[in-house]
Amino acid sequence: MHSPLPHLRLRHVELHRIAMPLVVPFRTSFGVERERDVLILRVVGDATDADAGGETTEVEGWGECVALAEPTYSPEYVDGAQDVIVRHLLPTLLSGSDTVDAAEVGARLGHVHGHPMAKGALEMAILDAQLRAADRSFAAHLGATAERIPSGVSVGIFDEIDDLLAAVQGYVDDGYVRIKLKIEPGRDIEHVAAVRELIGPATPLQVDANTAYRRTDGEHLARLDALDLLLIEQPLPEEDVLGHARLAAEVETPICLDESLVSADTTADAIELGACEVANIKPGGVGGYLEAVRIHDLCRERGVPVWCGGMLETGIGRAANAGLAALPGFTLPGDISASTRFYARDIVTDPITIDDGHVTVPTAAGLGFEIDRAYVAEIGRIAHDISPT
Ligand code: SMG
Ligand code: MG
């Protein structure tokens, strides 16, 4: 992967804010999502292809920022991401006469601490534009080997077990090949046991606590061992890597990290400490798809299974995730569900669907979709349109 791409001279960057209602509320241990407030980026630039004798073409690229509306899942949130992009990240990329190359975006933005979701969105839009110019698909560029990938679904928390079972049965009927249940203290062992009984022993099942437990909960969480789960995702706070290592020694079910993994370096350390037996790779959370590939490579080398997480993405992020999850180290089904799991209507004309429990990896140039511009205009507004200084 990473064979060179035509560099881009940026003409302008649009920041769109769109409001996408969810088909059903999605409840986690940290809150309830009812509507997705999404920041999407459109970059427009001139790509110069050295191979084609320096010929220049105008291209556009799209990126999606996965930050949620509130800083409850991660420190980043969408208004903050928009602000840091406008005031700190874009001025760096738009100043002077430099061209941009997605492979260098991470390093060029390195002086800004943190903000991986904001940086990742910019890198993604630039990469999409460069790939469209090169007529190469995102998946092929990253090193994908699969043409279709298994699709898992993430199921929110319900107070009543019967309501949870009805929701899970619906997703099983839709064909999802793996079920992930959100859990929190008080809505865990019994809820998960009831779902295991409903779906039987053969359907892969896992849980995600989004940091809702504490180091002292090892004995309690070990009760999940009897339910034959693929993994327990992020039981403890993100900073508590040592706590996860201790928990991994106490509980038989593999411990998977999500929020704790913010870069390839933190992932390497967590693996070495015994805290990360499985990795949920979230491209936004680690600063972009290129860092996500580095984490994939590292985990593959260390024999740690990985899967691709989700952030209730629109068709833009969903297509990109499908491309990433087609890499050979993604040996577990990811949270890449059909667009209809969350949205009645997507902002791309050809949204991700599932067929026999699988998602087809897009093969067209760039991220591999067309944006429904009329719908984007209908549900959103252009918050900024920025040109080089
Ligand atoms: O996109 O299918 C999806 C959502 C998957 O559960 C999911 N994401 O911690 O893994 C996670 C959560 C983060 C977002 S919850 C609002
Ligand atoms: Mg998670």
Side-chain angles (χ1 to χ4, degrees):
M1 75 143 197
H2 299 339
S3 44
L5 291 170
H7 291 197
L8 208 62
R9 187 168 305 282
L10 289 173
R11 285 182 174 277
H12 67 119
V13 178
E14 295 165 8
L15 281 74
H16 296 250
R17 281 290 282 276
I18 58 172
M20 305 217 358
L22 267 53
V23 290
V24 287
F26 183 55
R27 175 173 159 198
T28 65
S29 62
F30 59 83
V32 184
E33 312 292 317
R34 297 174 198 280
E35 185 183 79
R36 191 78 172 88
D37 174 358
V38 198
L39 169 62
I40 58 174
L41 307 181
R42 174 174 179 259
V43 306
V44 178
D46 296 321
T48 305
D49 191 349
D51 291 344
E55 196 183 306
T56 294
T57 40
E58 187 180 287
V59 281
E60 66 171 16
W62 293 86
E64 174 167 351
C65 180
V66 299
L68 300 177
E70 310 281 338
T72 44
Y73 161 82
S74 67
E76 281 185 285
Y77 63 104
V78 68
D79 284 333
Q82 180 173 312
D83 186 64
V84 82
I85 288 172
V86 170
R87 294 205 297 132
H88 300 280
L89 304 180
L90 271 178
T92 303
L93 296 182
L94 290 173
S95 68
S97 57
D98 286 0
T99 56
V100 294
D101 176 18
E104 291 166 0
V105 165
R108 281 181 66 178
L109 301 178
H111 63 289
V112 173
H113 285 224
H115 299 285
M117 294 174 176
K119 291 174 179 174
L122 260 177
E123 181 196 84
M124 179 180 184
I126 291 166
L127 184 55
D128 181 35
Q130 289 183 278
L131 287 166
R132 286 180 199 246
D135 196 22
R136 190 183 308 161
S137 81
F138 190 76
H141 183 67
L142 297 187
T145 49
E147 286 169 11
R148 57 204 291 271
I149 51 166
S151 177
V153 65
S154 176
V155 185
I157 293 174
F158 290 82
D159 281 330
E160 302 300 329
I161 290 183
D162 284 349
D163 295 336
L164 171 65
L165 295 181
V168 170
Q169 186 61 57
Y171 295 126
V172 168
D173 295 344
D174 289 340
Y176 288 104
V177 300
R178 178 279 266 155
I179 306 291
K180 157 167 146 180
L181 303 179
K182 292 291 193 179
I183 57 166
E184 65 184 5
R187 289 169 197 83
D188 48 20
I189 316 292
E190 263 184 78
H191 285 58
V192 182
V195 169
R196 172 53 86 204
E197 197 177 315
L198 174 78
I199 64 179
T203 303
L205 179 64
Q206 64 193 54
V207 295
D208 185 2
N210 290 108
T211 76
Y213 294 86
R214 295 297 169 261
R215 285 186 182 189
T216 45
D217 287 322
E219 207 175 312
H220 176 74
L221 289 170
R223 292 174 61 200
L224 291 169
D225 286 343
L227 300 172
D228 191 21
L229 305 183
L230 282 176
L231 54 92
I232 302 174
E233 181 179 345
Q234 197 70 43
L236 307 180
E238 55 263 51
E239 301 83 2
D240 194 6
V241 179
L242 182 63
H244 282 102
R246 290 185 179 157
L247 200 60
E250 208 178 337
V251 175
E252 268 172 44
T253 309
I255 299 297
C256 169
L257 295 183
D258 169 3
E259 285 91 327
S260 297
L261 305 181
V262 294
S263 65
D265 287 343
T266 57
T267 307
D269 290 353
I271 292 171
E272 192 169 324
L273 207 57
C276 182
E277 297 171 292
V278 180
N280 171 359
I281 302 184
K282 289 253 180 83
V286 302
Y289 286 84
L290 301 181
E291 185 75 352
V293 171
R294 289 189 277 273
I295 297 178
H296 159 273
D297 296 348
L298 164 93
C299 288
R300 210 168 167 223
E301 207 180 283
R302 310 271 163 99
V304 172
V306 307
W307 54 282
C308 181
M311 289 296 290
L312 295 81
E313 284 89 348
T314 71
I316 301 176
R318 218 165 271 278
N321 287 346
L324 175 70
L327 268 66
F330 284 82
T331 52
L332 292 171
D335 284 343
I336 307 170
S337 52
S339 169
T340 51
R341 187 262 174 262
F342 290 113
Y343 304 114
R345 180 171 172 188
D346 207 327
I347 58 166
V348 297
T349 55
D350 194 10
I352 294 286
T353 52
I354 68 164
D355 178 20
D356 189 24
H358 287 69
V359 165
T360 301
V361 177
T363 52
L367 291 168
F369 56 74
E370 293 308 320
I371 288 275
D372 182 345
R373 293 296 294 267
Y375 188 48
V376 168
E378 191 184 315
I379 60 170
R381 64 192 167 89
I382 297 184
H384 293 274
D385 185 346
I386 300 169
S387 301
T389 44

